[in-house]
Amino acid sequence: MYTRYTQGQLDTIAAHGVLIVTQDTADTTPYIRHQVTTSPDKGILYSELSCTRNIDNISYAVADLIATYVGKVNITPEALSSIRRELETLWSSFTTNSMSSLIGPSLIDYDGVRLEQDPVALDRIIVNVNYYIPSPLNRISVY
């Protein structure tokens, strides 16, 4: 793409939800210019693949952890406390787990954890938590 499109044109293409693989010159390694999805209008948590990947990864890990309890325990204060402890250990691991210190963790922080029995479906628990996901570095402005 180094000869076909200008930076402005690539900005416009990316703004419409197109993931761009490019290279600076013919003999350099291609790279992903901007990891966008087809949902550019819903904010960074929906439009950036690295954000959606982090959220999905954490969500699957939470589901796997909770699945170890399903059908094996009753909903009691002790069970909720145990599940909460394990969830907090899991979430905490995502705040430090990284393949590279430069890339950083999948999760900056979490708070507002609530675990409770569903008031309608009494055989279900509800987990509410606020995630703080890191944003990708897409641009640098130098003044």
Side-chain angles (χ1 to χ4, degrees):
M1 295 308 185
Y2 55 91
T3 59
R4 180 173 269 182
Y5 299 104
T6 67
Q7 286 302 316
Q9 289 170 323
L10 290 174
D11 289 345
T12 300
I13 292 168
H16 287 88
V18 177
L19 184 139
I20 298 170
V21 178
T22 189
Q23 61 191 117
D24 295 325
T25 62
D27 58 344
T28 58
T29 304
Y31 61 92
I32 295 175
R33 178 187 177 272
H34 194 163
Q35 298 183 66
V36 293
T37 70
T38 55
S39 293
D41 59 332
K42 292 184 178 180
I44 196 166
L45 293 180
Y46 293 91
S47 65
E48 295 286 344
L49 284 175
S50 58
C51 292
T52 59
R53 179 188 52 85
N54 285 342
I55 293 169
D56 287 348
N57 189 34
I58 295 165
S59 296
Y60 289 131
V62 167
D64 288 346
L65 185 148
I66 291 175
T68 64
Y69 286 91
V70 174
K72 298 177 184 153
V73 300
N74 292 321
I75 301 174
T76 64
E78 292 79 13
L80 291 175
S81 179
S82 176
I83 293 168
R84 182 187 180 109
R85 276 192 309 276
E86 285 199 50
L87 285 171
E88 290 191 354
T89 298
L90 177 70
W91 291 323
S92 182
S93 75
F94 280 106
T95 66
T96 58
N97 185 14
S98 175
M99 295 174 61
S100 161
S101 60
L102 185 60
I103 294 172
S106 304
L107 184 63
I108 293 173
D109 202 2
Y110 65 92
D111 65 17
V113 179
R114 279 192 13 240
L115 236 73
E116 59 192 19
Q117 185 174 20
D118 189 311
V120 177
L122 298 176
D123 61 343
R124 177 178 300 167
I125 62 169
I126 299 170
V127 179
N128 282 309
V129 61
N130 299 317
Y131 291 150
Y132 299 93
I133 304 293
S135 300
L137 175 61
N138 292 323
R139 297 174 193 264
I140 298 176
S141 298
V142 178
Y143 301 98

